[in-house]
Amino acid sequence: MDVINQLQRQFIDYSTSLHREGFVDDQFTQLQKLQDESSPDFVVEVASLFFEDCEKLINNMARALEQQQGVDFKQVDASVHQLKGSSSSIGAMRVKNVCIAFRSFCEAQNREGCSRCLQQVTHEYSLVKNKLQTLFRLEQQILAAGGSIPVVE
Amino acid sequence: MAQSNKEKSTKITALVVDDDMINRTIHHRLLDNLGIENEVVGNGKEAVDVHCSGKNFDLILMDKDMPIMNGIEATRKLREMGIRSLIAGVSSRSTEQEIQEFMEAGLDDYLEKPLTMSKLVTIIRKIDSNG
């Protein structure tokens, strides 16, 4: 029981830190509330879709920005818009915020600004992916120990 | 909120129209959680086709920006076909002009992404009060 309590405490603290540091917002909490016995892997499934989406879109942006003949800023913007939508849907706040700035640089057709944003969005994606995977591992440890995952408001 | 409407909600059906798989997954789950039978399609043309096959829904959640046929065209087409379902436009775009254009295509309501349980409940109450 002590082990379960300790793991649950760890989970609550970690989850709270993700919110406090702005990695996730209330939308992520909403998704966690949708998870139940009938759909126990819902959040992991959505997160996996998000990770796949991010990788594909970041690659698209990188290829478009590498074009020597001239950057198609509309194409870059289309990918950024999609990433902004996905990150907003899952509650990945820091990724979403970089996308907002990124879109401004696309509109201004500022290649250097776009390249900087691409670096930032790649970095933020990497961070949130690690954070969420750690959170999911903590969940698995709690369940393996016979405990239940606490609800963090 | 879901509990008090559960008996009535089981009779409500919905169609999710969105090209983004993450949104389709989330919206499908939100509706499931409210006890609403729902189907998902990936663009406006699929939404029109599913109606041509004879299916009908109480609620359609229509994304705006989709390939092949976007939400504005699909909404217009469905209204031309005589579809009287409650159609709620769902989009992350928020300029007034774009919302206006979408509404004029035949929407009953407009919701900004991301969709939440409370936004959906507001819409579903309209179905309950009309039905």
Side-chain angles (χ1 to χ4, degrees):
Chain A
M1 213 36 152
D2 276 344
V3 169
I4 293 174
N5 284 340
Q6 202 176 358
L7 287 169
Q8 287 174 329
R9 184 79 249 158
Q10 227 179 317
F11 175 85
I12 291 168
D13 289 345
Y14 196 73
S15 201
T16 307
S17 76
L18 292 189
H19 282 86
R20 190 179 56 241
E21 290 164 25
F23 285 105
V24 297
D25 60 21
D26 188 56
Q27 179 64 14
F28 186 73
T29 311
Q30 297 292 321
L31 297 186
Q32 288 176 306
K33 287 179 180 174
L34 288 175
Q35 185 164 292
D36 60 20
E37 306 79 41
S38 68
S39 193
D41 299 318
F42 174 69
V43 180
V44 169
E45 281 170 14
V46 174
S48 299
L49 289 172
F50 172 66
F51 298 152
E52 280 171 32
D53 224 29
C54 276
E55 276 160 35
K56 180 191 81 181
L57 292 169
I58 286 171
N59 282 339
N60 290 349
M61 292 169 207
R63 270 201 308 275
L65 285 170
E66 275 163 16
Q67 296 303 313
Q68 293 304 317
Q69 311 92 297
V71 174
D72 184 346
F73 286 99
K74 276 197 174 152
Q75 194 183 0
V76 181
D77 184 65
S79 292
V80 178
H81 171 67
Q82 263 192 273
L83 183 56
K84 178 172 165 268
S86 305
S87 54
S88 179
S89 294
I90 196 177
M93 194 165 77
R94 279 160 66 149
V95 173
K96 181 188 80 177
N97 288 341
V98 176
C99 289
I100 292 170
F102 203 155
R103 294 203 75 195
S104 301
F105 284 115
C106 289
E107 207 175 335
Q109 303 201 358
N110 183 328
R111 188 179 193 150
E112 203 181 298
C114 283
S115 294
R116 272 198 313 271
C117 282
L118 176 63
Q119 278 183 342
Q120 280 171 12
V121 89
T122 306
H123 178 64
E124 290 298 341
Y125 158 63
S126 172
L127 286 177
V128 77
K129 183 177 179 183
N130 282 336
K131 296 283 183 184
L132 289 179
Q133 287 177 332
T134 301
L135 188 74
F136 298 148
R137 269 196 301 274
L138 279 171
E139 286 183 349
Q140 290 309 307
Q141 284 171 8
I142 293 169
L143 294 172
S148 60
I149 298 163
V151 174
V152 182
E153 293 288 343
Chain B
M1 54 193 173
Q3 293 78 15
S4 62
N5 285 336
K6 199 99 188 183
E7 282 131 21
K8 285 194 238 174
S9 290
T10 51
K11 295 187 179 146
I12 297 176
T13 57
L15 177 68
V16 175
V17 189
D18 202 310
D19 63 322
D20 183 274
M21 196 184 281
I22 294 171
N23 289 326
R24 285 202 300 272
T25 306
I26 294 172
H27 299 169
H28 172 70
R29 181 75 195 131
L30 277 169
L31 290 164
D32 263 358
N33 221 262
L34 287 167
I36 295 171
E37 263 181 47
N38 65 98
E39 290 185 34
V40 294
V41 292
N43 60 62
K45 184 178 182 299
E46 288 178 16
V48 169
D49 288 347
V50 88
H51 283 86
C52 288
S53 74
K55 287 192 174 176
N56 223 309
F57 305 89
D58 299 299
L59 169 66
I60 300 171
L61 295 177
M62 182 77 77
D63 184 28
K64 188 167 84 68
D65 299 314
M66 295 179 286
I68 304 171
M69 186 188 286
N70 66 33
I72 294 174
E73 293 169 55
T75 302
R76 218 171 263 142
K77 181 74 185 167
L78 289 171
R79 292 305 192 206
E80 282 168 13
M81 287 164 61
I83 301 299
R84 292 286 156 254
S85 312
L86 194 152
I87 305 181
V90 182
S91 182
S92 53
R93 295 231 190 241
S94 56
T95 70
E96 273 191 41
Q97 194 183 350
E98 284 164 332
I99 297 170
Q100 182 67 17
E101 193 189 353
F102 204 359
M103 291 295 294
E104 282 170 3
L107 294 182
D108 295 291
D109 213 321
Y110 173 84
L111 302 167
E112 267 203 27
K113 285 187 202 177
L115 271 190
T116 60
M117 195 62 93
S118 61
K119 285 180 187 175
L120 259 186
V121 166
T122 309
I123 292 291
I124 285 151
R125 281 190 179 136
K126 290 188 180 181
I127 301 171
D128 280 347
S129 63
N130 291 343

